[in-house]
Amino acid sequence: MHLDLGALGAAFNYRAAERPLETMRDMGVNAVRFSHNPPAPEMLELCDRMGILAVDEIFDTWEAKKTNQGLQLQFPDWHEADLRATIRRDRNHPSVLMWSVGKGVQEQRTARGVELARELVGIAHDTPVHVFSSGDEAELFVNGKSQGRIAKLTERSPYEYRFRRDEMKYEPGEVAVVVYKDKREWARDVVRTEGPPARLAASVDRAHIRAGRDDLAFVTVRIADASGATALRAGNRGRFRVAGPGEIVATDNGDQTEMEPFRTMEKRAFNGLVLAIVRAKPGKTGHIVVYAEADGLAPDAVDIAIAQQ
């Protein structure tokens, strides 16, 4: 987890930092690694309060050069002082599970790394299916036809977190999985090939926000097909407008190659998703309505109430 807050930039905002932690917690995440520098103290306070474990990381470069003006220029003189200062600052946070003193450092390269890279390139030519579960076995179905059960390897079971089927070939339709634990069905899930874009589906992370600059609401807009599934390949251009005592702070789509300004009322969807960040005007009460529109698609809107101070 990097230090920036997407469309808002790098200046810390408590609510903007809290939201991705909420999202990840809802997904089942219980730990994060902060990359590749000590996090803001407020991030660790959030982890303390929310019960999320933290890996506190300080370097991604040691003495080997990644860039001409990289950390390798200061590392010999400052690594000990910086590491001690970081540990002293953060050691009383109950959320800190471990310390990381390096990520992707050039010194760790070995012949095994080249071998793994070739293996990963080979896998990329297939359509792998990975099932993340703590169950014992997983059975895959492609368009209703069983592909057999996959069991975790006994000798690796303490470290297994997924079932892999790398040789699967993509077929439009439905991929389903049934997970078994203690030889009985434990959970199931399904993924379906989406249809063409048909409508927008807007949702907001909270129904109430406080007036002023510090509180924020995040409006997520999905481009959905006729059945409601997210059209993951859709890149329609979404437009936002606001009614009531609120304003859009920024829009975003998660595409790191995007060159458009963040402070705009329009944004192209990326992987079928686009985001608007909204706040209430200082001293105002009432409701904010955020409308989402796109050419050729049914629109949608969300209502945000301004809570009393």
Side-chain angles (χ1 to χ4, degrees):
M1 191 172 185
H2 287 258
L3 61 86
D4 69 279
L5 300 173
L8 298 175
F12 190 83
N13 179 286
Y14 197 90
R15 174 57 195 154
E18 182 182 44
R19 177 180 176 261
L21 293 177
E22 291 176 345
T23 300
M24 291 188 289
R25 184 178 61 182
D26 291 343
M27 293 169 58
V29 172
N30 67 353
V32 296
R33 175 173 64 87
F34 293 105
S35 311
H36 316 284
N37 45 266
E42 295 89 346
M43 288 298 298
L44 293 176
E45 292 171 12
L46 283 166
C47 289
D48 294 345
R49 180 171 61 80
M50 299 171 67
I52 296 175
L53 299 175
V55 178
D56 203 333
E57 187 168 275
I58 184 169
F59 304 125
D60 75 335
T61 301
W62 293 341
E63 293 182 341
K65 182 179 73 172
K66 287 186 178 179
T67 64
N68 290 335
Q69 298 300 318
L71 182 65
Q72 76 278 356
L73 300 177
Q74 289 82 34
F75 187 85
D77 294 330
W78 285 96
H79 66 278
E80 181 177 355
D82 287 348
L83 183 56
R84 287 181 180 275
T86 298
I87 293 175
R88 285 170 179 158
R89 190 197 72 170
D90 297 342
R91 62 186 175 186
N92 289 326
H93 285 282
S95 60
V96 175
L97 172 69
M98 66 179 71
W99 310 93
S100 170
V101 296
K103 177 266 174 190
V105 293
Q106 302 296 330
E107 291 93 326
Q108 70 179 348
R109 289 185 297 178
T110 64
R112 172 62 177 159
V114 175
E115 178 185 345
L116 284 173
R118 290 176 177 155
E119 177 184 341
L120 293 172
V121 170
I123 291 172
H125 290 289
D126 292 315
T127 302
V129 175
H130 292 188
V131 178
F132 294 82
S133 173
S134 56
D136 302 323
E137 293 181 285
E139 184 175 10
L140 290 173
F141 297 84
V142 177
N143 291 326
K145 182 179 179 180
S146 175
Q147 307 298 305
R149 291 194 186 188
I150 311 169
K152 290 182 179 175
L153 300 176
T154 304
E155 65 270 19
R156 292 178 57 198
S157 58
Y159 310 102
E160 285 285 338
Y161 57 93
R162 63 182 171 178
F163 302 90
R164 296 177 55 170
R165 181 60 66 84
D166 292 333
E167 73 279 8
M168 294 280 291
K169 298 298 183 181
Y170 173 74
E171 296 179 10
E174 178 182 286
V175 176
V177 60
V178 177
V179 176
Y180 301 89
K181 197 174 184 70
D182 297 326
K183 298 183 178 181
R184 292 190 291 184
E185 181 178 329
W186 190 51
R188 60 173 58 217
D189 200 2
V190 62
V191 177
R192 297 180 179 89
T193 303
E194 73 273 11
R199 62 184 178 89
L200 301 180
S203 62
V204 63
D205 63 333
R206 292 184 303 157
H208 300 80
I209 60 173
R210 300 183 307 276
R213 300 182 60 85
D214 294 332
D215 208 2
L216 300 168
F218 292 78
V219 178
T220 299
V221 176
R222 295 186 303 112
I223 299 179
D225 67 7
S227 70
T230 304
L232 297 175
R233 296 170 181 80
N236 304 64
R237 192 167 188 80
R239 300 184 300 275
F240 294 96
R241 56 187 178 90
V242 176
E247 59 183 346
I248 292 178
V249 180
T251 57
D252 204 351
N253 60 8
D255 183 357
Q256 297 195 34
T257 67
E258 179 67 73
M259 299 300 291
E260 286 190 337
F262 290 124
R263 295 185 64 85
T264 178
M265 302 289 277
E266 294 188 9
K267 187 71 65 177
R268 176 184 57 85
F270 180 62
N271 291 340
L273 298 171
V274 65
L275 178 76
I277 305 172
V278 181
R279 68 184 171 203
K281 294 181 179 179
K284 299 295 184 179
T285 59
H287 288 255
I288 305 166
V289 181
V290 181
Y291 297 92
E293 301 168 337
D295 292 343
L297 303 178
D300 202 3
V302 295
D303 184 279
I304 306 164
I306 302 175
Q308 297 294 326
Q309 297 291 335

